[in-house]
Amino acid sequence: MNKQQVNFCNLHILGGGQLGQMLALAGIPLGIKCFFLDPNPNAPAALSGQVTQGAFQKATLQTFAQLAQHLTFEFENIPCEELAQLPTNIPLNPSIKALKVAQDRLAEKQLFNRLGIPTNKFFAVNSLEQLSKLLENDLPIPAILKTRRLGYDGKGQARISNSSNLANLHDLVKQEALLEELVDFDYELSCIGVFGKTQQAFYPVIKNLHQDGILVKSEPLYQHPLQGLAESYLQLIANELEYIGVLTVEFFVTGQCLIANEIAPRVHNSGHWTIEGSQCSQFENHLRAILGLPLGSTATSSAYCSMWNILHTHPDKNKLLALPKTHLHLYHKSERPGRKLGHITVCSDTREEHEYINQQIAQFLATSQYQL
Ligand code: AMP
């Protein structure tokens, strides 16, 4: 291999959303050029790399993959059967096995249980009759019903608080669905790990606040007592799925227990703070892992860190940028209710300063965003 090949390489990414945009930005200084496949030629990643417009279908995937040295994905809903038919000489990471599990909530929960990782109670549901029987005999109301596939940001799920309006859930159960126990959690955590061929590293666990199923705010918790347990669960999953790349697992916390909710076989929204808050971000570490480079340090670079999602409408940029220790990331998307438009990261060294800046951001966001 000549020097040029060692120092520079291309990475082909399936999906061209903001995760792709941030992967490509992390790759530029490392000599990694990203190319994307996305149905939308103006997807956010188009700002940081070339987007091939195309659906995630056999012919398009084959043509795109033929140009690739390495393949990864930043979008989860890509048909695994089509991926399995791509030329095997082009490394595709994370594994198709991991993507397949992440695409189906039932498969995810079954994997957790098989590995001895606690979950809430769950049942596969295919009809209203079955739903009504389960609620009568096996899982008391309140409960939550979710589509097994394609749900995201609170879409494709409904809370069930009484049995009189079950008919409204017809649309959800006519797809394959999962009925789950509603967890009365203390708070939610995610754990992000990065797995290379011979190395692995974990970021501090992250406390996440969701509203209506959408992530609003994330904060890493340093030296948290559940860090070791969370890491051990990720390790089990990574071993089972022969995992290379960044892996995220979301948990509910009740007391000292972690109840696994779902996995994301990719960089994750709750890890966006790592761009400024860690020595090496989740994006750079994902690239390093899948390209066989040494992993970067996951150590944090400030005493306090928070990340806020910008949802629905854009806040006043002048006000935000006037705040100290504040970093703005916009995804160049048009405003729409429920849409993630960007995020804000605050990294500060004292609690007082951190609380003050966060209060200001909370106010700016509250005045600019639709009520959730
Ligand atoms: P999910 O799509 O499963 O990540 O759900 C999105 C969000 O909805 C979670 O982060 C929780 O805030 C909430 N949620 C989902 N499932 C449950 C559950 N079984 N019990 C309580 N809250 C839940």
Side-chain angles (χ1 to χ4, degrees), residues 105 109 120 144 146 151-154 157 159 180-185 188 210 212-214 250 252 261-262:
R105 288 185 189 275
K109 300 247 188 213
N120 54 355
I144 184 162
K146 302 177 180 176
Y152 69 100
D153 286 348
Q157 55 181 261
R159 287 180 186 226
E180 282 184 24
E181 177 187 3
L182 200 65
V183 181
D184 185 16
F185 54 79
E188 294 183 77
H210 292 84
D212 289 347
I214 306 182
E250 294 184 54
F252 302 123
N261 181 32
E262 61 178 359

mmCIF file of all heavy atoms in Angstrom, residues 105 109 120 144 146 151-154 157 159 180-185 188 210 212-214 250 252 261-262, ligand 1:
data_model
loop_
_atom_site.group_PDB
_atom_site.id
_atom_site.type_symbol
_atom_site.label_atom_id
_atom_site.label_comp_id
_atom_site.label_asym_id
_atom_site.label_seq_id
_atom_site.Cartn_x
_atom_site.Cartn_y
_atom_site.Cartn_z
ATOM 1 N N ARG A 105 -38.163 -4.368 17.341
ATOM 2 C CA ARG A 105 -38.184 -4.226 18.812
ATOM 3 C C ARG A 105 -38.297 -5.576 19.519
ATOM 4 O O ARG A 105 -37.771 -5.744 20.616
ATOM 5 C CB ARG A 105 -39.363 -3.343 19.231
ATOM 6 C CG ARG A 105 -39.183 -1.877 18.908
ATOM 7 C CD ARG A 105 -40.357 -1.103 19.485
ATOM 8 N NE ARG A 105 -40.364 0.271 19.037
ATOM 9 C CZ ARG A 105 -39.680 1.259 19.619
ATOM 10 N NH1 ARG A 105 -38.927 1.004 20.658
ATOM 11 N NH2 ARG A 105 -39.760 2.493 19.167
ATOM 12 N N LYS A 109 -35.553 -7.088 22.304
ATOM 13 C CA LYS A 109 -35.869 -7.506 23.685
ATOM 14 C C LYS A 109 -35.501 -8.965 23.900
ATOM 15 O O LYS A 109 -35.029 -9.345 24.974
ATOM 16 C CB LYS A 109 -37.364 -7.328 23.959
ATOM 17 C CG LYS A 109 -37.811 -5.885 23.796
ATOM 18 C CD LYS A 109 -38.241 -5.283 25.096
ATOM 19 C CE LYS A 109 -38.847 -3.927 24.827
ATOM 20 N NZ LYS A 109 -38.620 -2.979 25.888
ATOM 21 N N ASN A 120 -38.331 -4.770 30.524
ATOM 22 C CA ASN A 120 -39.692 -4.780 31.056
ATOM 23 C C ASN A 120 -40.431 -5.977 30.441
ATOM 24 O O ASN A 120 -39.896 -6.657 29.562
ATOM 25 C CB ASN A 120 -40.403 -3.455 30.751
ATOM 26 C CG ASN A 120 -40.368 -3.116 29.261
ATOM 27 O OD1 ASN A 120 -39.742 -3.800 28.466
ATOM 28 N ND2 ASN A 120 -41.033 -2.059 28.893
ATOM 29 N N ILE A 144 -47.913 0.316 27.076
ATOM 30 C CA ILE A 144 -47.521 1.082 25.888
ATOM 31 C C ILE A 144 -47.441 0.113 24.706
ATOM 32 O O ILE A 144 -46.936 -1.007 24.847
ATOM 33 C CB ILE A 144 -46.213 1.876 26.141
ATOM 34 C CG1 ILE A 144 -45.826 2.766 24.978
ATOM 35 C CG2 ILE A 144 -45.060 0.998 26.512
ATOM 36 C CD1 ILE A 144 -44.817 3.866 25.362
ATOM 37 N N LYS A 146 -46.244 -0.419 20.733
ATOM 38 C CA LYS A 146 -45.311 0.158 19.759
ATOM 39 C C LYS A 146 -45.273 -0.703 18.503
ATOM 40 O O LYS A 146 -45.357 -1.926 18.607
ATOM 41 C CB LYS A 146 -43.886 0.179 20.328
ATOM 42 C CG LYS A 146 -43.721 0.949 21.617
ATOM 43 C CD LYS A 146 -42.286 0.837 22.107
ATOM 44 C CE LYS A 146 -42.069 1.600 23.395
ATOM 45 N NZ LYS A 146 -40.717 1.436 23.934
ATOM 46 N N GLY A 151 -40.477 2.635 13.935
ATOM 47 C CA GLY A 151 -40.849 3.720 14.857
ATOM 48 C C GLY A 151 -39.618 4.546 15.213
ATOM 49 O O GLY A 151 -38.519 4.016 15.295
ATOM 50 N N TYR A 152 -39.772 5.842 15.382
ATOM 51 C CA TYR A 152 -38.670 6.672 15.880
ATOM 52 C C TYR A 152 -39.248 7.949 16.456
ATOM 53 O O TYR A 152 -40.355 8.356 16.113
ATOM 54 C CB TYR A 152 -37.652 6.998 14.766
ATOM 55 C CG TYR A 152 -38.197 7.941 13.711
ATOM 56 C CD1 TYR A 152 -37.889 9.300 13.736
ATOM 57 C CD2 TYR A 152 -39.050 7.479 12.720
ATOM 58 C CE1 TYR A 152 -38.412 10.169 12.789
ATOM 59 C CE2 TYR A 152 -39.578 8.342 11.777
ATOM 60 C CZ TYR A 152 -39.245 9.690 11.818
ATOM 61 O OH TYR A 152 -39.776 10.546 10.893
ATOM 62 N N ASP A 153 -38.487 8.574 17.363
ATOM 63 C CA ASP A 153 -38.890 9.850 17.966
ATOM 64 C C ASP A 153 -40.346 9.834 18.436
ATOM 65 O O ASP A 153 -41.109 10.778 18.184
ATOM 66 C CB ASP A 153 -38.675 11.014 16.979
ATOM 67 C CG ASP A 153 -37.198 11.360 16.824
ATOM 68 O OD1 ASP A 153 -36.382 10.862 17.631
ATOM 69 O OD2 ASP A 153 -36.867 12.130 15.912
ATOM 70 N N GLY A 154 -40.750 8.757 19.102
ATOM 71 C CA GLY A 154 -42.102 8.688 19.660
ATOM 72 C C GLY A 154 -43.171 8.350 18.623
ATOM 73 O O GLY A 154 -44.347 8.181 18.956
ATOM 74 N N GLN A 157 -46.021 4.736 18.324
ATOM 75 C CA GLN A 157 -46.320 4.185 19.646
ATOM 76 C C GLN A 157 -47.456 4.948 20.322
ATOM 77 O O GLN A 157 -47.712 6.104 20.002
ATOM 78 C CB GLN A 157 -45.079 4.146 20.528
ATOM 79 C CG GLN A 157 -44.337 5.443 20.718
ATOM 80 C CD GLN A 157 -43.105 5.241 21.597
ATOM 81 O OE1 GLN A 157 -43.156 5.519 22.772
ATOM 82 N NE2 GLN A 157 -42.009 4.763 21.017
ATOM 83 N N ARG A 159 -49.626 5.234 24.255
ATOM 84 C CA ARG A 159 -49.828 4.789 25.638
ATOM 85 C C ARG A 159 -51.272 4.360 25.800
ATOM 86 O O ARG A 159 -52.175 5.011 25.272
ATOM 87 C CB ARG A 159 -49.512 5.936 26.595
ATOM 88 C CG ARG A 159 -48.027 6.150 26.644
ATOM 89 C CD ARG A 159 -47.604 7.245 27.560
ATOM 90 N NE ARG A 159 -46.168 7.399 27.359
ATOM 91 C CZ ARG A 159 -45.269 7.510 28.328
ATOM 92 N NH1 ARG A 159 -45.659 7.551 29.588
ATOM 93 N NH2 ARG A 159 -43.995 7.623 28.057
ATOM 94 N N GLU A 180 -45.943 -3.375 25.690
ATOM 95 C CA GLU A 180 -44.917 -3.336 26.744
ATOM 96 C C GLU A 180 -45.489 -2.795 28.037
ATOM 97 O O GLU A 180 -46.361 -1.921 28.027
ATOM 98 C CB GLU A 180 -43.818 -2.324 26.365
ATOM 99 C CG GLU A 180 -42.836 -2.783 25.374
ATOM 100 C CD GLU A 180 -41.751 -1.719 25.183
ATOM 101 O OE1 GLU A 180 -41.508 -0.892 26.076
ATOM 102 O OE2 GLU A 180 -41.175 -1.714 24.103
ATOM 103 N N GLU A 181 -44.921 -3.278 29.097
ATOM 104 C CA GLU A 181 -45.191 -2.707 30.417
ATOM 105 C C GLU A 181 -44.668 -1.265 30.428
ATOM 106 O O GLU A 181 -43.576 -0.998 29.915
ATOM 107 C CB GLU A 181 -44.403 -3.560 31.416
ATOM 108 C CG GLU A 181 -44.461 -3.132 32.827
ATOM 109 C CD GLU A 181 -43.479 -3.976 33.681
ATOM 110 O OE1 GLU A 181 -42.737 -4.844 33.136
ATOM 111 O OE2 GLU A 181 -43.460 -3.737 34.881
ATOM 112 N N LEU A 182 -45.450 -0.353 30.964
ATOM 113 C CA LEU A 182 -44.995 1.030 31.115
ATOM 114 C C LEU A 182 -44.093 1.091 32.351
ATOM 115 O O LEU A 182 -44.505 0.697 33.436
ATOM 116 C CB LEU A 182 -46.204 1.942 31.287
ATOM 117 C CG LEU A 182 -46.003 3.408 30.989
ATOM 118 C CD1 LEU A 182 -45.684 3.649 29.518
ATOM 119 C CD2 LEU A 182 -47.244 4.201 31.377
ATOM 120 N N VAL A 183 -42.876 1.550 32.178
ATOM 121 C CA VAL A 183 -41.921 1.534 33.292
ATOM 122 C C VAL A 183 -41.992 2.855 34.046
ATOM 123 O O VAL A 183 -41.913 3.929 33.443
ATOM 124 C CB VAL A 183 -40.476 1.319 32.763
ATOM 125 C CG1 VAL A 183 -39.476 1.279 33.910
ATOM 126 C CG2 VAL A 183 -40.396 0.046 31.936
ATOM 127 N N ASP A 184 -42.133 2.749 35.352
ATOM 128 C CA ASP A 184 -42.154 3.957 36.184
ATOM 129 C C ASP A 184 -40.697 4.259 36.572
ATOM 130 O O ASP A 184 -40.281 4.040 37.698
ATOM 131 C CB ASP A 184 -43.029 3.682 37.416
ATOM 132 C CG ASP A 184 -43.184 4.938 38.250
ATOM 133 O OD1 ASP A 184 -42.896 6.039 37.732
ATOM 134 O OD2 ASP A 184 -43.562 4.814 39.427
ATOM 135 N N PHE A 185 -39.952 4.757 35.590
ATOM 136 C CA PHE A 185 -38.508 4.891 35.813
ATOM 137 C C PHE A 185 -38.159 6.149 36.603
ATOM 138 O O PHE A 185 -38.928 7.111 36.632
ATOM 139 C CB PHE A 185 -37.753 4.862 34.476
ATOM 140 C CG PHE A 185 -38.221 5.865 33.449
ATOM 141 C CD1 PHE A 185 -37.849 7.193 33.520
ATOM 142 C CD2 PHE A 185 -39.036 5.459 32.376
ATOM 143 C CE1 PHE A 185 -38.264 8.105 32.559
ATOM 144 C CE2 PHE A 185 -39.462 6.367 31.416
ATOM 145 C CZ PHE A 185 -39.079 7.707 31.517
ATOM 146 N N GLU A 188 -33.819 8.256 32.583
ATOM 147 C CA GLU A 188 -33.333 7.441 31.469
ATOM 148 C C GLU A 188 -31.845 7.681 31.245
ATOM 149 O O GLU A 188 -31.369 8.809 31.375
ATOM 150 C CB GLU A 188 -34.096 7.785 30.189
ATOM 151 C CG GLU A 188 -35.568 7.406 30.264
ATOM 152 C CD GLU A 188 -36.303 7.686 28.966
ATOM 153 O OE1 GLU A 188 -36.147 6.907 28.013
ATOM 154 O OE2 GLU A 188 -37.034 8.692 28.910
ATOM 155 N N HIS A 210 -36.638 12.991 27.706
ATOM 156 C CA HIS A 210 -37.488 12.931 26.506
ATOM 157 C C HIS A 210 -38.812 13.622 26.789
ATOM 158 O O HIS A 210 -39.303 13.587 27.923
ATOM 159 C CB HIS A 210 -37.816 11.478 26.136
ATOM 160 C CG HIS A 210 -36.651 10.684 25.660
ATOM 161 N ND1 HIS A 210 -35.780 10.049 26.516
ATOM 162 C CD2 HIS A 210 -36.207 10.403 24.405
ATOM 163 C CE1 HIS A 210 -34.847 9.412 25.814
ATOM 164 N NE2 HIS A 210 -35.085 9.614 24.538
ATOM 165 N N ASP A 212 -42.661 13.511 24.961
ATOM 166 C CA ASP A 212 -43.440 12.864 23.894
ATOM 167 C C ASP A 212 -42.572 11.964 23.013
ATOM 168 O O ASP A 212 -42.709 11.954 21.791
ATOM 169 C CB ASP A 212 -44.156 13.909 23.029
ATOM 170 C CG ASP A 212 -45.286 14.559 23.794
ATOM 171 O OD1 ASP A 212 -45.653 14.026 24.858
ATOM 172 O OD2 ASP A 212 -45.788 15.609 23.343
ATOM 173 N N GLY A 213 -41.654 11.248 23.648
ATOM 174 C CA GLY A 213 -40.828 10.287 22.910
ATOM 175 C C GLY A 213 -39.654 10.918 22.168
ATOM 176 O O GLY A 213 -38.884 10.205 21.539
ATOM 177 N N ILE A 214 -39.498 12.240 22.213
ATOM 178 C CA ILE A 214 -38.389 12.895 21.489
ATOM 179 C C ILE A 214 -37.329 13.339 22.492
ATOM 180 O O ILE A 214 -37.660 13.935 23.530
ATOM 181 C CB ILE A 214 -38.872 14.135 20.696
ATOM 182 C CG1 ILE A 214 -40.024 13.763 19.764
ATOM 183 C CG2 ILE A 214 -37.724 14.729 19.884
ATOM 184 C CD1 ILE A 214 -40.527 14.909 18.909
ATOM 185 N N GLU A 250 -30.057 2.217 25.103
ATOM 186 C CA GLU A 250 -30.870 3.097 25.954
ATOM 187 C C GLU A 250 -31.482 2.271 27.081
ATOM 188 O O GLU A 250 -31.998 1.173 26.843
ATOM 189 C CB GLU A 250 -31.976 3.743 25.130
ATOM 190 C CG GLU A 250 -31.443 4.697 24.076
ATOM 191 C CD GLU A 250 -32.568 5.405 23.335
ATOM 192 O OE1 GLU A 250 -33.427 6.029 23.994
ATOM 193 O OE2 GLU A 250 -32.590 5.299 22.102
ATOM 194 N N PHE A 252 -33.827 2.341 30.978
ATOM 195 C CA PHE A 252 -34.605 2.997 32.038
ATOM 196 C C PHE A 252 -33.895 2.669 33.348
ATOM 197 O O PHE A 252 -33.455 1.520 33.530
ATOM 198 C CB PHE A 252 -36.028 2.442 32.113
ATOM 199 C CG PHE A 252 -36.806 2.573 30.823
ATOM 200 C CD1 PHE A 252 -37.353 1.446 30.214
ATOM 201 C CD2 PHE A 252 -37.003 3.815 30.239
ATOM 202 C CE1 PHE A 252 -38.076 1.563 29.031
ATOM 203 C CE2 PHE A 252 -37.733 3.937 29.060
ATOM 204 C CZ PHE A 252 -38.258 2.811 28.454
ATOM 205 N N ASN A 261 -33.960 -0.753 27.038
ATOM 206 C CA ASN A 261 -35.098 -0.401 26.180
ATOM 207 C C ASN A 261 -34.795 -0.695 24.719
ATOM 208 O O ASN A 261 -35.515 -1.437 24.078
ATOM 209 C CB ASN A 261 -35.469 1.075 26.366
ATOM 210 C CG ASN A 261 -36.660 1.478 25.518
ATOM 211 O OD1 ASN A 261 -37.550 0.655 25.278
ATOM 212 N ND2 ASN A 261 -36.681 2.698 25.035
ATOM 213 N N GLU A 262 -33.721 -0.114 24.182
ATOM 214 C CA GLU A 262 -33.410 -0.405 22.781
ATOM 215 C C GLU A 262 -31.953 -0.151 22.463
ATOM 216 O O GLU A 262 -31.259 0.527 23.216
ATOM 217 C CB GLU A 262 -34.322 0.381 21.832
ATOM 218 C CG GLU A 262 -34.215 1.873 21.937
ATOM 219 C CD GLU A 262 -35.118 2.580 20.920
ATOM 220 O OE1 GLU A 262 -35.802 1.905 20.137
ATOM 221 O OE2 GLU A 262 -35.102 3.823 20.915
HETATM 222 P P1 AMP B 1 -38.500 4.425 22.331
HETATM 223 O O1 AMP B 1 -38.918 4.715 20.942
HETATM 224 O O2 AMP B 1 -38.766 3.035 22.780
HETATM 225 O O3 AMP B 1 -37.068 4.851 22.585
HETATM 226 O O4 AMP B 1 -39.369 5.384 23.251
HETATM 227 C C1 AMP B 1 -39.183 6.772 23.284
HETATM 228 C C2 AMP B 1 -39.364 7.274 24.688
HETATM 229 O O5 AMP B 1 -40.713 6.980 25.155
HETATM 230 C C3 AMP B 1 -38.455 6.636 25.715
HETATM 231 O O6 AMP B 1 -37.190 7.223 25.722
HETATM 232 C C4 AMP B 1 -39.250 6.889 26.993
HETATM 233 O O7 AMP B 1 -39.146 8.228 27.413
HETATM 234 C C5 AMP B 1 -40.690 6.637 26.533
HETATM 235 N N1 AMP B 1 -40.998 5.182 26.680
HETATM 236 C C6 AMP B 1 -40.873 4.244 25.748
HETATM 237 N N2 AMP B 1 -41.202 3.022 26.212
HETATM 238 C C7 AMP B 1 -41.531 3.187 27.497
HETATM 239 C C8 AMP B 1 -41.947 2.302 28.541
HETATM 240 N N3 AMP B 1 -42.115 1.001 28.324
HETATM 241 N N4 AMP B 1 -42.199 2.836 29.767
HETATM 242 C C9 AMP B 1 -42.045 4.157 29.996
HETATM 243 N N5 AMP B 1 -41.668 5.043 29.044
HETATM 244 C C10 AMP B 1 -41.403 4.583 27.818
#
